[in-house]
Amino acid sequence: MSTTTVDQVHGHDHAHDHSHDHDDHRPHGWRRWLFATNHKDIGTLYLWFSFTMLLYGGVLALLIRSELFHPGLQFFKPEFFNQLTTIHGIVMVFGAIMPAFVGFANWMIPLQIGASDMAFARMNNFSFWLLPPAAILLTISWFVPGGATAAGWTLYAPLSTQMGPGMDFAIFAIHIMGASSIMGSINIITTILNMRAPGMTLMKLPMFCWTWLITAYLLIAVMPVLAGAITMTLTDRHFGTSFFNAAGGGDPVMYQHIFWFFGHPEVYIMILPAFGIISQIIPAFARKQLFGYASMVYATASIAILSFIVWAHHMFTTGMPVTAQLFFMYATMLIAVPTGVKIFNWIATMWRGSMTFETPMLFAIGFIFVFTMGGFTGLILAVTPIDIQMQDTYYVVAHFHYVLVAGSLFGLFAGYYYWSPKWTGLMYSETRGKIHFWNSLVWFNVTFFPMHFLGLAGMPRRYADYPAQFTDFNMVASIGAFGFGLSQIYFLFFVVLPACRGKGVKAADKPWDGAEGLEWTVPSPAPFHTFEVPPLVK
């Protein structure tokens, strides 16, 4: 993308002035948001929803860490503790991380490809408005007899077939969120393939668009698989089937196979868009073109394809034959190769660049450093005999939080700081951004690094109590969790809300001198309607 130049075709600048005349024709008040069909408004809705869910999931996490501060049962019964861990996982995966990336896609993809909007504007509205009812269903499930589901976020049978009605609420909530994801993906694929500006070939697409295009195909492939698994659970619960009930000839391990066939590509669904964001930011602040653009595209596609053949590395302790263990072990190690290609490309992009360290770049470098650590612990867990020892311990918890928090969440923060001047028309305070970054990075590591040692020492996950020898590391992790949580409250009150209230220095149309791409050719804040006449990409 860095090689392309933009030719403002005749009438293009006029289109911007024209769009300002029409600004007042957009609906105002609640109608603007309820009936939103503009990609920028829908992107904003997604981002606010996901941040709300991040805070909701974060509160549940802090309740979990409060209970684990000391051995012995402090506040909650074990059943309620398991409800906390389960709903925390579901809310963070389906409510916080995934909708946030869809929000970025809605905001940025039309701007990056020179499209006037997303392909299916009303379906876009519908796919967002499915999410709040799903979140409400999950929240109501706390208050039904027996409380929320406590089967773990994976909802494994036979636990999930024996829970109270809270389990049904979770099943319906996940169904609704899945439908939303599928519709969003269809929209993203159609937009990228059919609405690119003239002259923008696929191999000139910004990396963020490429990673989302591939992610959208992954979502369409695996969300129906999850829907099948939870529907079979539902019929086992209420309609006398025995898919996962051994007494009726079913197999609870079959649930695990179906779930992880969805669950492993899902892991990459949550990280590929972050790779895309990082691939936009690093060239901008290194003031160089992205090193190995084509290899980045192929690496992303390879990760997506390989993600379908590694699912059973989550199941090494289920009595799998050795041949299968070997296959899944080697396949899992293989997927580290394209991921490594990306890491090396980012480092090569920074190599001898004239780098500056504004907040987006700090989050991007922090992402590479901490995500790589998460990748290495994943590689360790790929080794079957080690995994059998580490299965369901805090080592696994540490590993996936390094990938999902330091991966997905840091990628989202990097993207926010990078593009928010274009969204709000205001520059955030660099000092506050750096306070947010350093606090997030330090407290994140204080929280999750000790969990590696807890896991190696044999502390199992999802337990409300533990022997006294695990006390010290648990206390450190709990203190870190509160520090990390407060860092995000700081982000809300000192970075996001001032921008929403219009406080800050006006941003230039192109605030980062190394940034490339069509999104920097429109004014800041981006007008309600952009690219009414498509730009010409040379």
Side-chain angles (χ1 to χ4, degrees):
M1 183 53 219
S2 342
T3 53
T4 60
T5 56
V6 181
D7 185 24
Q8 303 283 45
V9 287
H10 180 65
H12 179 51
D13 289 325
H14 171 69
H16 283 312
D17 306 331
H18 192 58
S19 72
H20 282 301
D21 306 338
H22 280 293
D23 267 3
D24 292 326
H25 290 271
R26 65 182 164 200
H28 287 288
W30 59 270
R31 278 190 183 80
R32 171 179 174 186
W33 301 104
L34 185 62
F35 303 125
T37 50
N38 184 284
H39 70 98
K40 302 178 183 75
D41 281 355
I42 293 172
T44 304
L45 286 169
Y46 267 108
L47 290 169
W48 273 113
F49 173 80
S50 65
F51 196 74
T52 310
M53 289 288 105
L54 181 76
L55 297 180
Y56 176 19
V59 169
L60 301 180
L62 294 182
L63 293 174
I64 293 167
R65 288 312 321 172
S66 309
E67 177 58 63
L68 292 173
F69 188 76
H70 260 299
L73 294 178
Q74 321 297 319
F75 307 109
F76 313 125
K77 291 197 179 90
E79 300 84 357
F80 184 75
F81 182 85
N82 283 346
Q83 293 172 17
L84 288 174
T85 55
T86 302
I87 301 296
H88 163 74
I90 293 172
V91 161
M92 288 303 205
V93 169
F94 296 105
I97 299 295
M98 289 168 69
F101 281 126
V102 181
F104 272 85
N106 263 296
W107 249 105
M108 297 317 304
I109 287 174
L111 287 179
Q112 289 193 321
I113 64 174
S116 56
D117 208 307
M118 297 293 277
F120 304 114
R122 284 191 177 82
M123 184 166 87
N124 205 9
N125 173 289
F126 186 48
S127 65
F128 170 75
W129 282 111
L130 284 175
L131 293 175
I136 291 164
L137 273 177
L138 272 179
T139 310
I140 294 172
S141 76
W142 290 103
F143 305 105
V144 300
T149 171
W153 85 274
T154 53
L155 307 177
Y156 273 5
L159 273 176
S160 56
T161 53
Q162 296 165 3
M163 295 272 153
M167 182 72 212
D168 301 317
F169 281 81
I171 287 174
F172 285 125
I174 290 171
H175 263 306
I176 295 169
M177 288 169 167
S180 164
S181 292
I182 290 171
M183 285 194 284
S185 302
I186 292 169
N187 216 341
I188 287 166
I189 291 170
T190 311
T191 305
I192 293 176
L193 293 185
N194 294 335
M195 297 178 67
R196 302 193 303 282
M200 183 175 281
T201 59
L202 280 176
M203 290 312 272
K204 284 183 190 167
L205 271 183
M207 271 312 297
F208 180 66
C209 295
W210 257 119
T211 53
W212 243 118
L213 179 65
I214 291 165
T215 302
Y217 277 111
L218 278 179
L219 272 164
I220 289 175
V222 301
M223 287 317 280
V225 178
L226 175 67
I230 57 179
T231 306
M232 289 149 92
T233 306
L234 193 72
T235 60
D236 272 12
R237 289 169 56 78
H238 298 294
F239 301 109
T241 55
S242 294
F243 291 112
F244 311 128
N245 180 1
D251 184 1
V253 176
M254 179 171 77
Y255 177 88
Q256 298 192 27
H257 277 291
I258 300 169
F259 180 86
W260 286 115
F261 190 80
F262 146 81
H264 207 79
E266 165 68 17
V267 174
Y268 295 100
I269 286 163
M270 290 190 283
I271 199 66
L272 290 180
F275 288 169
I277 292 172
I278 301 305
S279 303
Q280 302 283 143
I281 291 173
I282 287 189
F285 293 94
R287 291 160 182 79
K288 278 174 66 187
Q289 274 186 36
L290 180 65
F291 180 88
Y293 171 88
S295 64
M296 286 293 253
V297 173
Y298 297 135
T300 310
S302 311
I303 290 171
I305 293 159
L306 289 171
S307 75
F308 285 102
I309 60 161
V310 298
W311 78 89
H313 66 212
H314 297 270
M315 300 169 56
F316 284 148
T317 53
T318 56
M320 191 187 296
V322 173
T323 324
Q325 290 184 342
L326 283 170
F327 169 79
F328 285 107
M329 178 166 97
Y330 294 140
T332 306
M333 291 179 168
L334 191 61
I335 210 165
V337 176
T339 315
V341 167
K342 288 182 165 298
I343 304 281
F344 286 122
N345 282 9
W346 290 324
I347 292 169
T349 306
M350 293 189 279
W351 176 249
R352 304 188 70 174
S354 53
M355 288 204 290
T356 51
F357 298 99
E358 287 88 347
T359 312
M361 187 63 161
L362 287 178
F363 267 108
I365 294 171
F367 169 95
I368 294 174
F369 172 65
V370 198
F371 175 80
T372 304
M373 283 167 59
F376 276 128
T377 54
L379 209 48
I380 290 165
L381 289 170
V383 183
T384 311
I386 299 178
D387 182 82
I388 288 169
Q389 290 297 310
M390 293 296 109
Q391 169 82 9
D392 266 342
T393 66
Y394 266 77
Y395 190 88
V396 177
V397 177
H399 155 67
F400 71 73
H401 281 89
Y402 264 79
V403 178
L404 280 178
V405 182
S408 306
L409 191 64
F410 278 22
L412 287 162
F413 285 141
Y416 172 82
Y417 285 107
Y418 183 58
W419 281 312
S420 68
K422 185 57 64 189
W423 300 345
T424 60
L426 299 166
M427 285 305 289
Y428 60 88
S429 152
E430 199 61 67
T431 310
R432 291 176 179 182
K434 285 177 173 158
I435 290 171
H436 176 222
F437 167 73
W438 286 110
N439 268 299
S440 293
L441 185 73
V442 169
W443 289 120
F444 167 78
N445 282 292
V446 170
T447 308
F448 293 106
F449 202 74
M451 293 186 190
H452 293 103
F453 302 120
L454 286 170
L456 288 166
M459 179 171 163
R461 64 196 267 206
R462 298 184 181 145
Y463 276 40
D465 192 6
Y466 53 86
Q469 74 256 31
F470 298 135
T471 309
D472 293 351
F473 278 144
N474 269 303
M475 289 174 85
V476 170
S478 291
I479 292 165
F482 277 90
F484 187 74
L486 288 171
S487 310
Q488 310 328 315
I489 299 294
Y490 177 88
F491 171 67
L492 173 65
F493 282 103
F494 292 96
V495 179
V496 178
L497 290 178
C500 296
R501 287 200 294 264
K503 291 180 179 162
V505 185
K506 182 154 174 26
D509 289 353
K510 187 174 155 185
W512 318 114
D513 53 352
E516 296 281 349
L518 292 179
E519 70 261 44
W520 307 110
T521 64
V522 302
S524 296
F528 195 64
H529 297 292
T530 39
F531 297 124
E532 289 177 350
V533 178
L536 198 62
V537 176
K538 284 186 174 170

